[in-house]
Amino acid sequence: MAQLPLPVIDLSGICSGEGGQITMAKLAAQLGNAFETEGFAYLVNVPLTFSHEQVFGLAKRLFHLPQAEKLRLAKKSFQRHNTNTYRGYFPAQAGSDNLKEGFEVGPANLPIAPDWTRRKIDLTEGNIWPPESTSPGLRGDTEKLYKELQHLSSTLLSLSAVALGKESSYFDHYLHRSISTLRYLHYPAINPPSPQQELCCTPHTDSGILTLLHQDSTGGLDVLSPDGRWIAAPYVPGSLIVNIGDLMAKVSGGRFRATYHRVRSSPGKERYSVPFFFEPGVDCAIRSVDEDSEVIVYGEHVLSKMKGWVEFQEPEKSLGITEHVTAIELDMA
């Protein structure tokens, strides 16, 4: 493998069932070092049954649906008459530096949490799907992919706990009623005469615990290095990228880095990516491993972060977006 700008961690020991104490301690040390220095790493030989082609095939099946069908799955912030507030589809934001459309999926059969269902945005709501007749197998395959990524996340949490000097079970309570999010993303191609833009996703850090990313061969992901340079994180066939969010940086007592990253536009090319955001349960009490910080309730943390996310703004602030998106998609045809 050519020299890469980020650490590479080989998970083949886990895949082969050879994950003994020595192997796990070695992986924990590698993961901890990557999170302390770059905040990002490549994972290779990951224990997933889905190939990259299959993962992006699921995303393409979703986004190739007619726009009217996708809008029937849209969050209430984009379609007033829809009832889903947290899960489902959001259209691309025309004229924005965050030009992407997405579809978000949570856990299947999450128990009802009455204290949260009464909120304006219900973090525990069920998923919404296109009809099986128009997208056969999409729901089943996505739910299987979700479970595999959740299981991989739990393994990485165990390794992170060991890297922080704790027992491997230290973060197990994060898994209780976890509301992790699988997000299919599509960055439309921008073709002349539409004005080009340098970025299709502006610099940001992830807000939560842990992110696993499938990126396609289009590339465009940049990561801010510790010395302040933007470095490209190219596509590596068969790999995932893992990175730390703001909350995990706090949990680590500042040892782990939540690193800024962005996505550069590729003129005339569309791009697909599939991030998986590991999230604890809404009532999960989060505190630093140093146990000298305030307790953060995960659900409240998410809701406070949402105030700045365009896909969760009030409906009147989103008016006109769907019409612009239709125009963009016609340019792509």
Side-chain angles (χ1 to χ4, degrees):
M1 183 181 296
Q3 184 67 34
L4 293 168
L6 300 173
V8 178
I9 300 174
D10 188 341
L11 300 183
S12 56
I14 295 175
C15 297
S16 64
E18 299 174 357
Q21 287 188 337
I22 295 177
T23 298
M24 299 302 281
K26 180 181 177 181
L27 288 173
Q30 291 176 341
L31 195 66
N33 182 66
F35 289 163
E36 289 177 15
T37 55
E38 305 288 349
F40 269 76
Y42 287 99
L43 302 177
V44 297
N45 295 317
V46 294
L48 299 178
T49 63
F50 290 82
S51 68
H52 271 208
E53 291 74 17
Q54 290 171 318
V55 171
F56 293 120
L58 293 172
K60 290 175 182 178
R61 287 172 58 193
L62 190 287
F63 293 120
H64 287 175
L65 290 171
Q67 187 69 10
E69 288 193 37
K70 289 186 288 186
L71 289 176
R72 280 195 281 272
L73 308 173
K75 303 171 193 286
K76 187 178 181 65
S77 51
F78 295 99
Q79 292 290 97
R80 289 179 182 274
H81 59 273
N82 289 356
T83 59
N84 49 305
T85 59
Y86 189 47
R87 305 302 183 186
Y89 174 74
F90 62 87
Q93 313 301 297
S96 168
D97 284 336
N98 287 295
L99 183 57
K100 59 183 182 288
E101 59 176 336
F103 184 76
E104 296 181 315
V105 177
N109 305 316
L110 187 69
I112 294 175
D115 290 344
W116 291 91
T117 56
R118 291 190 290 267
R119 304 289 186 106
K120 183 179 293 185
I121 296 177
D122 179 8
L123 301 178
T124 65
E125 73 180 9
N127 294 317
I128 185 168
W129 299 99
E132 187 71 13
S133 58
T134 62
S135 303
L138 177 65
R139 175 176 181 173
D141 288 343
T142 298
E143 289 180 342
K144 181 181 179 184
L145 175 62
Y146 182 103
K147 288 179 181 179
E148 292 185 11
L149 289 167
Q150 179 78 352
H151 185 263
L152 176 56
S153 296
S154 70
T155 299
L156 296 174
L157 282 173
S158 295
L159 294 173
S160 298
V162 173
L164 292 168
K166 299 295 184 179
E167 295 294 325
S168 61
S169 60
Y170 182 80
F171 292 122
D172 280 3
H173 65 291
Y174 284 19
L175 302 171
H176 181 63
R177 295 189 175 183
S178 164
I179 60 166
S180 298
T181 297
L182 173 64
R183 177 184 283 185
Y184 291 129
L185 290 176
H186 173 225
Y187 299 80
I190 304 175
N191 297 313
S194 298
Q196 298 298 307
Q197 57 192 57
E198 180 184 0
L199 301 176
C200 52
C201 185
T202 52
H204 66 283
T205 56
D206 292 345
S207 63
I209 298 293
L210 194 72
T211 303
L212 294 169
L213 175 68
H214 284 87
Q215 66 165 336
D216 72 6
S217 58
T218 305
L221 176 65
D222 288 341
V223 175
L224 191 64
S225 69
D227 61 3
R229 294 178 298 111
W230 286 108
I231 56 175
Y235 169 73
V236 174
S239 73
L240 294 181
I241 289 179
V242 61
N243 67 280
I244 285 300
D246 293 330
L247 192 54
M248 189 61 170
K250 291 181 181 179
V251 167
S252 73
R255 285 177 56 183
F256 293 170
R257 295 182 66 236
T259 303
Y260 275 90
H261 49 289
R262 66 184 187 182
V263 180
R264 285 176 286 104
S265 297
S266 299
K269 294 182 179 179
E270 60 181 345
R271 179 181 186 268
Y272 291 89
S273 71
V274 182
F276 180 85
F277 303 98
F278 172 79
E279 301 180 79
V282 289
D283 294 318
C284 184
I286 309 288
R287 57 161 37 99
S288 166
V289 293
D290 298 329
E291 298 185 352
D292 59 357
S293 64
E294 64 175 328
V295 174
I296 298 173
V297 176
Y298 184 70
E300 301 295 350
H301 168 79
V302 173
L303 290 176
S304 68
K305 292 289 185 180
M306 276 184 187
K307 294 175 182 178
W309 298 346
V310 67
E311 58 263 36
F312 294 103
Q313 299 302 310
E314 293 295 325
E316 58 268 21
K317 297 179 182 178
S318 301
L319 294 180
I321 287 175
T322 57
E323 289 83 356
H324 291 307
V325 172
T326 301
I328 289 175
E329 294 204 342
L330 288 173
D331 289 341
M332 289 170 52

